Amino acid sequence: MSRELEARVCPSDAGYPRGVSKGISYRVREFQQRVSRSLITMAGGALRSNNAPTQLISIPGSEQQLSQRHARSVIDLCLRAGEAMLATGASAADVVATVLRISTAYGVSGMHVDITFTSLTVSVHRGMNEDPMSIMRIVKVRTIDYTRLQNVYWLIDQITGPDGPGDVDETREQLGAILTTPHPYRRWVVTAGKAILAAGVVVIFDASFVLVLVAAASAAISDLMTRRLGLWSVPAFFAQMAAAAVTTAIAVFMFWLRSVGIEIPGSNSPTVIVIAGIIMLLSGVGLTASASDAIGGYYVTATARGLEVIMMTLGLAVGISIVLSISLRLGIPVAVGDSLGESRSLISGMVGSAIIAVGFALTSYVRLRLLPLMAIGASLVFAVYWVVLPSAPEPGLAPALAGTAAGVISYLLYRWLKVPEGATNMVGIIALLPGLALYRGIYALMDSEFGVNEALPAMVMALATGLGLAAGTTIGGFVARRTFGFDRSAMLALRRSRTPR
């Protein structure tokens, strides 16, 4: 480098001897390079992330050395608890979160859970020196027993409580005792609950006392038939179809009596009998659980539950359409009452919703002392629906808002009394199930050769109402968890169960 250039780069070196001047210029160039590297590092740091991933791709494997007996005992306990929840309609995310809470409480942190509609698989990594363990359990039974599920929740809270879990073998025996305990009341009470549920639907539409009795009787007959077909191992689709056909045949018989001049006092709207039967038969379908699984990211389970909803609804449609087709061919003047949708009032709706809540609680084996709470909650949900309906006439919007209220109430009852959220959710929304829209769509489909075009609006309304109710209950539960709090262990487990899939 020439002296003139050195003087321009570092003018202060110009008067120094040549060796000293080179040393100063070298330090200047080194300083410039450090500054340049610092600027590049700062620019790269603004783009590159040096932190941990925001979403875990998988749960890290555990290096803890677990004994085979302890791992098997914990896995068996987790599988039994998960099976009990899945069989009674709990969402997949809640089942996985519960299983992870139990395993963490017993010191098993490297557990992986895979869940489908009919199976539950648990895998534990026991370190590099031990073989992993994977066990799958098939969920063979689908039942509704919220008393049993409530006892399971109490046991899980005891396991994950501040006092710590007890011996795993004793806890498994307690869980086994819960799952094998007889129902809290006899089977005829369940049939009476179905009759009460159907009667409550008729009360909502402000129909006569005669139709209330006829709807209750038809619901009892349908329940007995469905139970008998189940004992004969008849598929649920055909059992649903037969029950819907019986209920519709009773309503058609009342239409025929009116056509021949035999007028039964108070039987001016036999259509409500069919609507009550539709709502009664749809009450056990896991609509809300399907939506919750889809929102939580468990699409396989959500698809299976949704297909079950579709098949059971198609069973209803086929049973009703067969009877309607025969009656129309025979010339029986069957019709859909035009006053059904407008005759609902706030008082009759709240009273009918309370009756429906009591009926459903009996059919799902809810503890008797919880019946008043169920009735009050269902009345409040219907009141929300009745208030928001004039300002939210769009299909599915008012049911979604009412479903949100049901989700909030359900979570609060779960936190305070450990009442299963699914029970309170279904109690709150049963009165709002689209029985009338579904029946109108089926009737329009069978009434004329252009029935598809006429039935489409009613079917869209029914679908929008069902999806609105399901989405509303799910959102309501989520908002309640964020607003009113969730214990730390449950929140961590729920976060692990909702990792991307």
Side-chain angles (χ1 to χ4, degrees), residues 204-356:
I204 285 182
F205 289 101
D206 203 13
S208 65
F209 184 71
V210 172
L211 292 179
V212 172
L213 295 179
V214 174
S218 64
I221 295 172
S222 298
D223 180 67
L224 293 174
M225 174 179 292
T226 303
R227 184 166 180 263
R228 176 58 59 181
L229 294 176
L231 294 176
W232 293 344
S233 299
V234 176
F237 175 84
F238 297 106
Q240 192 91 334
M241 183 177 67
V246 169
T247 303
T248 309
I250 294 174
V252 169
F253 177 72
M254 297 190 69
F255 276 113
W256 177 78
L257 290 178
R258 294 180 61 189
S259 67
V260 297
I262 302 175
E263 187 71 28
I264 301 176
S267 61
N268 54 336
S269 298
T271 303
V272 295
I273 300 173
V274 184
I275 298 170
I278 291 174
I279 294 178
M280 179 200 68
L281 294 171
L282 285 179
S283 62
V285 176
L287 184 64
T288 58
S290 175
S292 179
D293 289 343
I295 293 175
Y298 293 86
Y299 300 112
V300 175
T301 308
T303 302
R305 291 187 193 271
L307 184 59
E308 182 189 33
V309 173
I310 293 174
M311 292 303 298
M312 295 299 101
T313 306
L314 286 178
L316 284 177
V318 172
I320 294 173
S321 62
I322 289 175
V323 177
L324 287 180
S325 177
I326 295 174
S327 62
L328 292 175
R329 290 178 182 275
L330 294 176
I332 300 176
V334 180
V336 178
D338 295 332
S339 62
L340 292 178
E342 290 74 24
S343 61
R344 287 180 289 182
S345 63
L346 178 61
I347 301 301
S348 64
M350 293 182 67
V351 172
S353 298
I355 296 174
I356 291 174

Side-chain angles (χ1 to χ4, degrees), residues 2-55:
S2 64
R3 259 181 130 55
E4 293 80 11
L5 181 59
E6 290 180 2
R8 283 198 301 270
V9 173
C10 186
S12 59
D13 292 349
Y16 290 99
R18 184 175 181 85
V20 177
S21 175
K22 287 185 177 181
I24 295 175
S25 300
Y26 175 78
R27 287 195 295 272
V28 169
R29 288 195 298 271
E30 184 179 6
F31 174 75
Q32 291 175 341
Q33 291 175 357
R34 286 201 302 268
V35 171
S36 177
R37 286 195 298 267
S38 299
L39 292 176
I40 294 175
T41 302
M42 292 175 60
L47 299 177
R48 292 189 298 268
S49 175
N50 296 323
N51 298 324
T54 56
Q55 295 286 354

Side-chain angles (χ1 to χ4, degrees), residues 60-361:
S62 175
E63 294 298 328
Q64 57 184 348
Q65 303 298 324
L66 299 173
S67 66
Q68 186 175 13
R69 174 174 173 76
H70 180 71
R72 286 186 181 277
S73 300
V74 174
I75 288 176
D76 184 72
L77 177 62
C78 293
L79 285 174
R80 290 179 181 274
E83 179 190 16
M85 296 180 63
L86 189 62
T88 52
S91 66
D94 291 337
V95 174
V96 175
T98 300
V99 170
L100 294 177
R101 289 177 64 190
I102 296 174
S103 64
T104 303
Y106 281 103
V108 181
S109 59
M111 179 173 287
H112 299 256
V113 183
D114 182 44
I115 188 171
T116 65
F117 184 55
T118 57
S119 66
L120 182 66
T121 304
V122 172
S123 178
V124 175
H125 185 269
R126 298 190 295 149
M128 298 302 296
N129 298 325
E130 299 289 342
D131 294 331
M133 298 178 60
S134 298
I135 302 178
M136 182 178 68
R137 194 176 186 92
I138 302 298
V139 182
K140 298 180 180 179
V141 178
R142 295 282 171 181
T143 184
I144 301 179
D145 188 345
Y146 288 122
T147 295
R148 191 176 303 177
L149 184 59
Q150 186 179 13
N151 292 334
V152 173
Y153 281 139
W154 283 114
L155 180 61
I156 293 171
D157 278 359
Q158 179 182 347
I159 294 172
T160 59
D163 297 334
D167 183 71
V168 62
D169 294 329
E170 295 179 0
T171 304
R172 190 173 66 252
E173 292 179 0
Q174 295 177 11
L175 180 61
I178 291 173
L179 299 180
T180 56
T181 301
H183 293 303
Y185 31 82
R186 295 184 180 274
R187 187 61 178 76
W188 68 265
V189 180
V190 177
T191 302
K194 294 288 183 71
I196 294 173
L197 193 157
V201 175
V202 180
V203 171
I204 285 182
F205 289 101
D206 203 13
S208 65
F209 184 71
V210 172
L211 292 179
V212 172
L213 295 179
V214 174
S218 64
I221 295 172
S222 298
D223 180 67
L224 293 174
M225 174 179 292
T226 303
R227 184 166 180 263
R228 176 58 59 181
L229 294 176
L231 294 176
W232 293 344
S233 299
V234 176
F237 175 84
F238 297 106
Q240 192 91 334
M241 183 177 67
V246 169
T247 303
T248 309
I250 294 174
V252 169
F253 177 72
M254 297 190 69
F255 276 113
W256 177 78
L257 290 178
R258 294 180 61 189
S259 67
V260 297
I262 302 175
E263 187 71 28
I264 301 176
S267 61
N268 54 336
S269 298
T271 303
V272 295
I273 300 173
V274 184
I275 298 170
I278 291 174
I279 294 178
M280 179 200 68
L281 294 171
L282 285 179
S283 62
V285 176
L287 184 64
T288 58
S290 175
S292 179
D293 289 343
I295 293 175
Y298 293 86
Y299 300 112
V300 175
T301 308
T303 302
R305 291 187 193 271
L307 184 59
E308 182 189 33
V309 173
I310 293 174
M311 292 303 298
M312 295 299 101
T313 306
L314 286 178
L316 284 177
V318 172
I320 294 173
S321 62
I322 289 175
V323 177
L324 287 180
S325 177
I326 295 174
S327 62
L328 292 175
R329 290 178 182 275
L330 294 176
I332 300 176
V334 180
V336 178
D338 295 332
S339 62
L340 292 178
E342 290 74 24
S343 61
R344 287 180 289 182
S345 63
L346 178 61
I347 301 301
S348 64
M350 293 182 67
V351 172
S353 298
I355 296 174
I356 291 174
V358 172
F360 179 78

